[in-house]
Amino acid sequence: MTRNPPMPDTDLPKIWYTKMLSTDAGLVSFKMSCAGGRDARIRYQMAHKGLRSVDADDVPEFLYYLLDRKINPARADVFLSADGLIVVSPRVRDILVQFDLGKTRLFEVPIYKSEQKEPTNYPPHYLLHVMEHKDTVLVDASENVRQLVVGGEDRPRPGAHWESYYNKDDLAVRASSAEGVDIWGDPNFHYRVFFSDRLKRAIDAAKIRTTALKFFGAKVRA
């Protein structure tokens, strides 16, 4: 007797994630300028990529041209700066503020031609600095993930953070992490930003122009 395969649980929420913090896709070579100089720039860059809180004194004041002199139209709404920061257009900012961002911030940054603040035709853009966290990733049910190994050592330390293996991760996540804020990171998993389905649908509906913000559907588990 042939058994029918079990039907998927359609009551589970959809959860999406992006890999943009660990890739050069959508890069625009604009550089950030911080009032605190090089040290502040490094501190902000590390906090931004690590999805951690940041001191107000370290927040960049503006972006300026490095190599590129314009934003590629295919990357107009979301791109990565030369420092690896997530930059969004006013259009995307207007979508995001309609949702529950919690502690996540949108820092306004003008775009200039140089550090001397020569004006451009671009309006101010926004750094999307994710600072909300949820225990989201089920590493045992995910594919192509591994624990971080400190240089010179041959195995991960107890409690080491997890990361993608060659950026080919296929993540399984807890359904409960769909509750609460609409955009977040996992404190135990590097370089992944998660989105609620309602936020992802709003971004899709707005026909946002970008090659950077590619969404991957997570495997949701009860």
Side-chain angles (χ1 to χ4, degrees):
M1 177 178 176
T2 302
R3 294 179 180 270
N4 291 326
M7 295 296 290
D9 188 343
T10 55
D11 291 332
L12 292 177
K14 292 181 180 178
I15 296 174
W16 305 84
Y17 65 100
T18 175
K19 303 179 181 182
M20 67 183 300
L21 281 174
S22 60
T23 178
D24 288 336
L27 180 69
V28 177
S29 61
F30 291 172
K31 193 78 173 170
M32 65 172 161
S33 178
C34 299
R38 179 178 178 274
D39 290 344
R41 189 165 64 242
I42 292 172
R43 286 194 296 268
Y44 184 81
Q45 183 183 43
M46 293 178 66
H48 184 95
K49 290 185 175 182
L51 311 180
R52 301 192 306 271
S53 61
V54 62
D55 290 339
D57 291 343
D58 292 337
V59 174
E61 293 187 309
F62 58 90
L63 301 179
Y64 64 93
Y65 294 172
L66 183 60
L67 296 177
D68 292 330
R69 296 293 182 268
K70 63 180 181 179
I71 302 171
N72 185 318
R75 302 172 181 175
D77 287 313
V78 184
F79 59 87
L80 287 181
S81 75
D83 299 288
L85 312 183
I86 302 174
V87 184
V88 303
S89 68
R91 254 183 106 210
V92 175
R93 181 262 181 199
D94 290 346
I95 295 170
L96 293 175
V97 296
Q98 298 177 50
F99 290 82
D100 184 357
L101 302 182
K103 293 180 291 186
T104 289
R105 297 291 304 277
L106 287 154
F107 296 119
E108 183 175 312
V109 282
I111 297 176
Y112 296 121
K113 292 181 180 179
S114 69
E115 287 189 275
Q116 285 68 49
K117 299 185 179 181
E118 299 171 77
T120 70
N121 292 326
Y122 289 116
H125 279 51
Y126 297 84
L127 301 177
L128 174 59
H129 191 108
V130 179
M131 289 188 280
E132 287 285 351
H133 298 92
K134 303 178 192 179
D135 186 10
T136 297
V137 179
L138 296 165
V139 292
D140 290 342
S142 298
E143 298 177 29
N144 296 318
V145 299
R146 61 185 177 186
Q147 280 186 291
L148 289 165
V149 177
V150 175
E153 300 183 8
D154 58 3
R155 66 187 64 186
R157 295 178 179 180
H161 287 185
W162 290 77
E163 64 177 356
S164 170
Y165 189 67
Y166 290 122
N167 219 35
K168 295 181 179 179
D169 49 296
D170 184 7
L171 299 183
V173 300
R174 292 178 174 83
S176 60
S177 62
E179 300 171 6
V181 296
D182 290 293
I183 183 168
W184 69 95
D186 185 316
N188 299 309
F189 203 96
H190 279 325
Y191 303 135
R192 294 294 176 261
V193 178
F194 297 88
F195 291 75
S196 68
D197 188 53
R198 53 189 171 267
L199 176 51
K200 190 261 188 186
R201 284 188 282 111
I203 291 171
D204 288 345
K207 301 187 186 301
I208 295 304
R209 292 182 296 170
T210 179
T211 57
L213 190 61
K214 181 179 180 181
F215 288 108
F216 296 83
K219 298 178 291 188
V220 182
R221 302 288 185 264

